[in-house]
Amino acid sequence: MDSYDENLSPNRGLTVSILGCGNLGTAILSGIVAALIATDEVHSENLPPILPDSLMAAVNRPESVQRLTEMFGSLGRLVEIVQKQNLLATSAADVVILGCKPYMVREILTADEMIDTLSGKLLISICAGVSVEDIEEIMYGSGSPAADTPAANRCRVVRAMPNMAAQVRQSMTIISSPNPLPADDHALVTWIFERIGRVIHLPSSVMDASTALCGSGPAFCALILEAMADGAVAMGLPRADAQRMAAQTMKGTAELALAGEHPAVLKDKVCSPGGCTIGGLLVLEEGAVRGTVSRAVREAADVASLLGKGVKGVNGTRAGRN
């Protein structure tokens, strides 16, 4: 990774700590680092009032320390990596990104002194299936020693849901908070997640649908991509070429849609009267592909909702559902 000049910009001063640095946490860390190194991004007009100038990654396993050191060790003071020191990383931070496994959230947040240490800070959770309300209940619910903490002394909790494309900085990240964020927090959270792709702010009520569309969506797209490549292989194309061609075709189509083209208009532009494309599309329609894909998104949203309520074995009980 390129070298880092801490004097590039005067509007720095925040410390961001990531508790749990798996694939998503590492992607976020890498995106922030790349932005701070790139002088054109540092001097962009669309910046929050204060940017990070110090990053910490807190992990449990020595293998994770080694992996992150190999990636970021050359950056000196910009990135510090610690092992089994969540409280230290939280204490040093202005912004904490909770990137652990969902089952570890309660253990981390209820550790000795953690709630007090988070007081007044911005806590961003990227833990799948864990809502802002879940986190606030763990920290400040009726059974918590901190239940009487005044609102002004509590941490500000935000939920962010990136997807696996964060690894190539093409994530679609959904950001949600029950209460409107202060302008500076809004700008900072948006800036952080724009380092790994695109960002949209939505209410908590649509997070299950967002999970289905953007969290599960890459798997749905991958299945369709693979099916397209399979068809081409059946007609004589080599597998590697077919997969690359299908992926680029899907990417190009997505770019056109992002540029403002409606999918129906895109479809019609490709369909010549009596041509091969309309013939293929009719096969897809006969196979109910449109309705099946839409139903898959709806089903994933329903399952996400049930999982969020703690229901176990959801998919195993839904095979006969209409």
Side-chain angles (χ1 to χ4, degrees):
M1 193 163 280
D2 294 338
S3 61
Y4 166 66
D5 181 353
E6 63 185 15
N7 298 313
L8 278 174
S9 175
N11 62 336
R12 300 189 178 195
L14 294 175
T15 296
V16 175
S17 290
I18 304 177
L19 309 186
C21 220
N23 290 333
L24 282 178
T26 301
I28 294 167
L29 183 60
S30 180
I32 295 173
V33 167
L36 296 178
I37 289 173
T39 56
D40 56 339
E41 292 197 43
V42 169
H43 293 290
S44 169
E45 294 181 0
N46 299 318
L47 292 175
I50 305 177
L51 287 177
D53 65 359
S54 177
L55 304 165
M56 293 186 72
V59 295
N60 282 334
R61 299 184 300 133
E63 296 86 352
S64 298
V65 173
Q66 181 178 349
R67 172 176 57 85
L68 294 173
T69 300
E70 290 172 355
M71 295 179 66
F72 304 108
S74 63
L75 298 173
R77 291 184 298 171
L78 177 60
V79 179
E80 181 178 356
I81 301 154
V82 296
Q83 182 182 356
K84 295 186 177 180
Q85 297 190 63
N86 289 331
L87 191 63
L88 172 66
T90 302
S91 179
D94 303 284
V95 179
V96 177
I97 298 176
L98 190 61
C100 61
K101 300 292 186 184
Y103 72 87
M104 299 173 65
V105 169
R106 180 176 294 275
E107 177 186 351
I108 289 175
L109 293 180
T110 57
D112 289 346
E113 302 182 41
M114 179 59 81
I115 294 177
D116 288 341
T117 303
L118 281 166
S119 177
K121 299 185 178 185
L122 178 61
L123 175 63
I124 305 170
S125 170
I126 61 170
C127 300
V130 182
S131 69
V132 171
E133 292 78 10
D134 291 335
I135 290 174
E136 291 180 337
E137 177 63 26
I138 290 170
M139 297 180 69
Y140 306 114
S142 58
S144 166
D148 296 330
T149 303
N153 294 338
R154 297 184 177 189
C155 67
R156 306 180 304 284
V157 184
V158 177
R159 182 180 179 187
M161 191 186 67
N163 65 25
M164 66 180 296
Q167 297 175 50
V168 290
R169 297 181 193 163
Q170 291 294 326
S171 175
M172 181 68 253
T173 300
I174 318 303
I175 296 172
S176 174
S177 177
N179 303 305
L181 289 173
D184 289 357
D185 285 353
H186 186 283
L188 179 62
V189 174
T190 300
W191 181 86
I192 287 173
F193 288 96
E194 282 183 344
R195 301 315 101 202
I196 57 170
R198 295 176 183 249
V199 168
I200 187 169
H201 291 259
L202 291 173
S204 301
S205 59
V206 296
M207 284 303 282
D208 291 329
S210 299
T211 297
L213 182 59
C214 299
S216 304
F220 303 155
C221 291
L223 180 66
I224 294 170
L225 189 157
E226 184 182 32
M228 291 170 62
D230 283 346
V233 170
M235 300 308 294
L237 277 178
R239 168 66 64 180
D241 291 339
Q243 182 170 311
R244 183 164 57 249
M245 292 160 69
Q248 180 60 38
T249 300
M250 187 173 283
K251 179 181 179 182
T253 306
E255 289 290 344
L256 289 168
L258 288 169
E261 288 270 25
H262 192 283
V265 174
L266 284 173
K267 172 179 65 68
D268 287 349
K269 282 183 176 180
V270 186
C271 289
S272 302
C276 59
T277 305
I278 189 64
L281 280 171
L282 289 175
V283 172
L284 294 176
E285 296 289 11
E286 289 165 3
V289 170
R290 181 195 302 266
T292 301
V293 173
S294 295
R295 184 180 174 190
V297 174
R298 290 156 47 211
E299 177 72 3
D302 284 346
V303 172
S305 176
L306 291 170
L307 290 174
K309 296 173 183 176
V311 179
K312 305 296 184 183
V314 176
N315 287 307
T317 65
R318 297 171 70 80
R321 183 175 174 270
N322 293 321

